[in-house]
Amino acid sequence: MSAPSTAIESNLVENRVFPPSEALVKAARISGMAGYEALRAEADRDFEGFWARLARENLQWTKPFTRTLDESNAPFYQWFADGELNASANCLDRHMGTAVENKTAIIFEADDGAVTKVTYKELLARVSQFANALKAHGVEKGDRVLIYMPMGVEGVVAMQACARIGATHSVVFGGFSAKALNERIIDAGAVAVITANYQVRGGKELPLKAIVDEGLAMGGCECVRSIFVYQRTATACAMVPGRDKTWDEALAGQSTECPPTPVGAEHPLFILYTSGSTGKPKGVQHSTGGYLLWAKLTMDWSFDLKPEDVFWCTADIGWVTGHSYVTYGPLAAGATEIIFEGIPTYPNAGRFWQMIERHKCTVFYTAPTAIRSLIKAADSDAAVHPKNWDLSSLRILGSVGEPINPEAWMWYYRHVGGERCPVIDTWWQTETGGHIMNPLPGATPLVPGSCTLPLPGIYTAIVDETGQEMPNGSGGMLVIKRPWPSMIRTIWNDPERFKKSYFPDELKGYYLAGDGAVRSVDRGYFRVTGRIDDVLNVSGHRMGTMEIESALVAKSDLVAEAAVVGRPDDLTGEAICAFVVLKRPRPVGDEAKQIAKELRDWVAKEIGPIAKPKDIRFGDNLPKTRSGKIMRRLLRSLAKGESITQDTSTLENPAILDQLAQNN
Ligand code: WT7
């Protein structure tokens, strides 16, 4: 981990403050800072009692828990461990016989604008029927099922059906490659894959099933017995008799009733792979009870959800945001939610605004990257500016995935929210399961670019390398001092890596987030500045630099050595910049361009298009210390286009810097 304080401009002052309106405070579940402080005080006073109360009030347990937190095997914490419940029952069955039963659960808008609505009752029937299909194909409690699906009702049905029978799902984002799929299938030991023939995005059909086939053909996937293929489009795809079934074939003859299988609270609800600073992606394992509690409760707290809300989280189910705020949270909370198949810029960059108007969306939750690209589009074409649509239904805006720069925050607040809707900047991670720090709509005064304060019951702090807390105004490493119910339980197949990555010995048992942060001097508000490890955040997508380096050097006929760093990018937050040494003389001009393209395509095949380096620079070698260590600090400066002011006296080959300063 690099020294964090250097990465943070702790002197940055943001003076604008937006207190919540009277109306918001009055109507809010957590009303005013006094309401927030009262909940915090409750957790301070009786930490376990606080969580036990919330778990009893917010979830339906088939067997009540008697013990709240078990710390005996820390950091492998257990929550509500002797309790039993089912996640799908807590999202669907619990609403039957209530006013929610016939409420719209999902408003699905397809890429081409076609709309389908599904009520809670219908969703329960569809989930149950698919759950029966899984069972009929031998999928059992504790089995792992890999899901590689487009955004749509069926993706949610697939996840909920797994949860219903106690199978652990692992969703892989549709933008990952066959190789990435292959690795995840093997690591998870998946017995089944649920996919679609194609996905439709931006007017284009993109294959999914063919990529699954390619992934399986790479070998080592003997664990997979069945493949379920949802026919999203009329286009045919290859099917292996015996192994592959269409969605309709699988459902045929299955009952629409399936009793939910109770599981222990610690039963793994899902594994979600995410990038770390070293090695292969890690399978973040989440629990059933603690995870679901927080997915549900943060819907209520962070978005102050009301029964009449129309909630829209634009995240894909392939990311944790799509798990917590598409598949589980909104349904557990009984909300009506929008699910969108397409992309924000098709058929034009007014699509989001048009959809908000069309469906009378009230709570809109998206990523800074999307906002920045829509600002750019609106600046160059007034016809796609949000002012062209009636956005008066909106009452709350959310942001997630990366730091939101104050300019984007202000535009979002002004032009989308009409200066009426609080911007809820939510800081969290795949590992935290749900929100950790964000303002509350009816309580917290907003400061652009700041995720403000931790939610009640969550204890975040900023520390130095020894775990010592930093004074406000000084940057450091973001940690969470006490366990929380929705925390990562372990890394699938690698408990040692779990301990090493998140609970390093020097940090007093605190959870290490991997982000740098600073608290404001006046309010103690947190501002998260970005990763302090070798993880990049490109358009809100998390990528390990080592992963991309490994992918590059895997092209062994061409690449001798590669180093990957991030550089700031106005649109994507960070951009991937690769420094490459070839096994042939350093290319220039057209040859360099052509090889750079070849390498980009190669990385897309190895990991996925999201991992393609934006810049590729070729050198005769890389800047190294005399002991052979690549000086990434210098590469980061070169990537940014800065002239080198750092001390280069320890460098073996200082002349290389001039060469690498040139872009192709
Ligand atoms: C990393 C986690 C949060 C779920 C989606 C991404 C960055 C996330 C914020 C925010 C500043 C943020 C952090 C974090 N990040 N939200 N509001 N402000 N940074 O989950 O893929 O696990 O990535 O995203 O760097 O560590 P993820």
Side-chain angles (χ1 to χ4, degrees), residues 582-588 591 595 619-620:
L582 296 180
K583 286 184 174 166
R584 60 170 88 165
R586 174 175 176 264
V588 289
E591 194 198 358
I595 296 177
D620 293 326

Side-chain angles (χ1 to χ4, degrees), residues 272-275 284 315 319-322 325 365 368 399-404 424-435 437-438 449-451 478 511 513-516 527-533 535-537 540-543 574:
L272 184 58
Y273 288 85
T274 191
S275 297
V284 173
W319 309 111
V320 73
T321 311
Y325 301 105
Y365 189 32
S399 173
V400 59
E402 47 181 321
I404 179 163
I424 308 302
D425 177 6
T426 60
W427 178 87
W428 57 295
Q429 313 174 291
T430 305
E431 293 88 341
T432 68
H435 300 161
M437 295 197 283
N438 54 261
S450 167
C451 60
L478 179 61
Y511 167 86
D515 277 328
R527 192 164 59 85
V528 176
T529 44
R531 302 290 307 194
I532 47 175
D533 50 11
V535 171
L536 306 182
N537 191 325
H541 298 156
R542 188 163 147 181
M543 304 290 339
E574 276 187 298

